[in-house]
Amino acid sequence: MIDSNLKSLYQWGNSTYHHNLSSKPHSFSYNLQFFAKDGPGGEKTEAPTPKKLTDARKEGQVAKSIELVTAASLIALFYSIKIFIGYIGKGFFETFNLVYGNIDKLAGEDFNTVTATLLLRESILTILKICLPLFAVAFIVTFAVDLVQVKWKVSGKLLQPKFSKINPIKGFSKIFSKEKIMELIKSVLKILVIAYLAYNALKDYSTTLLKLYEIDLEQAIVLVGSIVIDLGLNISMAFLIIGLADYFYQKIKFKRDMMMTKQEIKDEYKQTEGDPQIKSRIKSKMREASQRRMMQRLPEADVVITNPTHFAAAIKYDKDAADAPVLLAKGADFLAERIKTVARENKIEIVENKPLARMLYYNVEIGNEIPPELYQMTAEVLAYVYSLKGGSHT
């Protein structure tokens, strides 16, 4: 009997299977998000959250153009040379005179280690005095341009050693990355700009340069210095254009790199706000605990006011403990039925008053006194209950 039942069940299942195959092909659903280009979670289509931007800032990841910093530093340097050219020239002449004015000492018998040290130290100090204004201006401008680009945020994350940086496979892959190709284009462009500007400058000054041997040393230095400063400023201005273009490119690239997938946003929310399912369970447990405490106090109530089916509110009035009646319990639908059941079990009067029940449910929290606006309606209900019990409350 059992074998025949199994056989008939098998035949039914087999016929049903073939019928399904002939009537409609089977389809399998795949979550294609996990096969997307950008890996698990799908494509990066969502704007970065403030937390991700903050974390990236802490890691030292910012939209910053080195080219813009270089261009601003060069402009500041050459303009400083142009401004302090008199001071610089005077300093170099003093150094020149210092060294060559002591030629006789250097060649004489009095020359020794002490003399050489003093002469070298004095020469270095003079050169440092000459270069100090230039270095100071370059540093201030570099700092200011960095501050404008990325604001003030000190991070030592980039200085920390990372073994991933010395990974040869990753290093080899970076050689052919889009970023490296962009860096190569910028380098070639800078070389072409320098070559073009230098060629034009030297071509314009070609006739003047041929006369260098006809003028004295001081004039020659002034002429060469003027050519170098003009050429440097032209190159710096060209670099500034490249730097501004690179800065906007870095901003776009940074925004693209910071984009997030929907899955990443969900994971971040779980990390910061907690898992929604866990939070929901916690709230559910807290709600259950609150309801248990509420139901434990329910037998103390003087009356339960109902809607009659949707709402129930239990109140108690103890003139020695409170100035007004207190709401001990309230509930809707299923919880309202439980309140009424417990009230019947404890012989608590149940009074139907639709407006009062609704107002108590929506406007009064459990454990709070009822507001003065509801005094009159509540007093009427309590008076009715006390009359039924044959007692009195004043």
Side-chain angles (χ1 to χ4, degrees):
M1 182 67 178
I2 295 174
D3 290 340
S4 62
N5 288 338
L6 289 174
K7 185 176 180 181
S8 60
L9 181 62
Y10 171 77
Q11 290 174 348
W12 175 82
N14 194 32
S15 63
T16 304
Y17 172 75
H18 286 291
H19 172 72
N20 290 336
L21 283 178
S22 60
S23 61
K24 184 175 69 174
H26 285 282
S27 61
F28 299 92
S29 60
Y30 297 97
N31 188 353
L32 296 179
Q33 289 286 334
F34 290 89
F35 296 90
K37 179 181 178 181
D38 294 300
E43 294 184 3
K44 295 184 176 183
T45 57
E46 308 302 311
T49 61
K51 181 181 182 302
K52 178 157 187 179
L53 294 176
T54 303
D55 291 344
R57 183 66 183 268
K58 290 178 181 177
E59 294 289 332
Q61 299 178 23
V62 290
K64 175 184 173 182
S65 172
I66 302 298
E67 312 300 330
L68 187 59
V69 176
T70 304
S73 302
L74 286 174
I75 292 173
L77 176 65
F78 284 110
Y79 266 115
S80 300
I81 293 174
K82 196 169 186 178
I83 293 170
F84 296 105
I85 188 66
Y87 172 78
I88 295 170
K90 181 182 177 182
F92 275 115
F93 273 112
E94 287 178 358
T95 307
F96 181 83
N97 292 330
L98 175 67
V99 174
Y100 281 89
N102 291 279
I103 286 291
D104 55 340
K105 292 182 180 180
L106 295 175
E109 295 180 357
D110 295 336
F111 180 74
N112 52 42
T113 306
V114 176
T115 306
T117 304
L118 290 173
L119 184 62
L120 180 62
R121 185 176 66 182
E122 195 167 348
S123 301
I124 292 173
L125 287 174
T126 306
I127 292 171
L128 286 176
K129 288 179 184 178
I130 295 169
C131 298
L132 187 60
L134 307 180
F135 291 155
V137 171
F139 173 78
I140 292 170
V141 170
T142 302
F143 181 78
V145 173
D146 268 338
L147 196 63
V148 169
Q149 288 191 86
V150 298
K151 305 296 184 292
W152 177 256
K153 179 70 176 179
V154 179
S155 175
K157 292 284 188 178
L158 294 177
L159 299 177
Q160 295 177 0
K162 291 184 178 179
F163 292 104
S164 59
K165 292 183 179 180
I166 58 175
N167 188 331
I169 299 175
K170 286 188 176 180
F172 184 76
S173 64
K174 287 181 179 180
I175 295 175
F176 302 99
S177 65
K178 188 187 298 183
E179 287 74 20
K180 291 299 179 182
I181 293 173
M182 192 65 188
E183 292 296 326
L184 177 62
I185 292 172
K186 285 191 293 184
S187 300
V188 172
L189 183 61
K190 286 189 288 187
I191 293 171
L192 292 175
V193 167
I194 293 172
Y196 175 76
L197 293 175
Y199 172 77
N200 283 340
L202 294 175
K203 185 175 68 173
D204 294 339
Y205 287 105
S206 58
T207 55
T208 307
L209 290 172
L210 292 175
K211 297 178 181 179
L212 281 176
Y213 68 93
E214 298 177 357
I215 58 179
D216 57 28
L217 178 61
E218 188 173 344
Q219 290 176 328
I221 292 174
V222 172
L223 176 62
V224 172
S226 177
I227 294 172
V228 170
I229 291 172
D230 291 341
L231 178 60
L233 287 173
N234 290 335
I235 292 173
S236 301
M237 290 298 179
F239 273 25
L240 182 62
I241 296 172
I242 296 173
L244 288 172
D246 181 60
Y247 175 67
F248 287 112
Y249 166 76
Q250 294 296 336
K251 293 277 284 187
I252 295 170
K253 177 180 174 295
F254 178 76
K255 185 177 179 181
R256 185 187 67 229
D257 293 343
M258 289 293 104
M259 294 290 282
M260 303 174 69
T261 64
K262 289 183 173 62
Q263 186 61 41
E264 285 175 339
I265 291 178
K266 290 179 181 178
D267 293 341
E268 182 185 290
Y269 179 81
K270 287 181 180 180
Q271 292 174 0
T272 55
E273 302 294 333
D275 192 330
Q277 294 181 348
I278 295 176
K279 289 180 70 177
S280 177
R281 285 199 294 269
I282 292 173
K283 287 182 179 179
S284 177
K285 293 292 183 182
M286 292 176 65
R287 190 165 50 248
E288 290 175 3
S290 176
Q291 288 180 4
R292 280 198 300 270
R293 290 193 299 269
M294 180 183 74
M295 299 305 289
Q296 287 172 359
R297 292 200 62 190
L298 182 56
E300 303 173 13
D302 292 324
V303 62
V304 172
I305 304 167
T306 64
N307 192 24
T309 55
H310 294 296
F311 302 106
I315 60 174
K316 176 185 179 180
Y317 179 46
D318 184 353
K319 62 180 181 179
D320 297 326
D323 295 331
V326 176
L327 183 70
L328 295 184
K330 66 177 181 177
D333 299 327
F334 175 72
L335 186 55
E337 290 298 325
R338 283 187 58 197
I339 291 172
K340 286 189 284 186
T341 301
V342 174
R344 294 188 191 98
E345 292 172 354
N346 290 273
K347 297 181 173 56
I348 299 170
E349 292 295 335
I350 300 174
V351 177
E352 179 182 335
N353 190 319
K354 295 180 181 179
L356 182 57
R358 290 180 63 86
M359 284 188 283
L360 287 171
Y361 181 82
Y362 285 113
N363 298 297
V364 184
E365 295 298 325
I366 296 172
N368 290 354
E369 296 180 4
I370 65 171
E373 296 82 10
L374 302 180
Y375 281 179
Q376 182 64 33
M377 297 176 69
T378 307
E380 292 174 359
V381 172
L382 288 172
Y384 171 71
V385 172
Y386 296 149
S387 66
L388 292 178
K389 292 181 178 180
S392 64
H393 276 60
T394 59

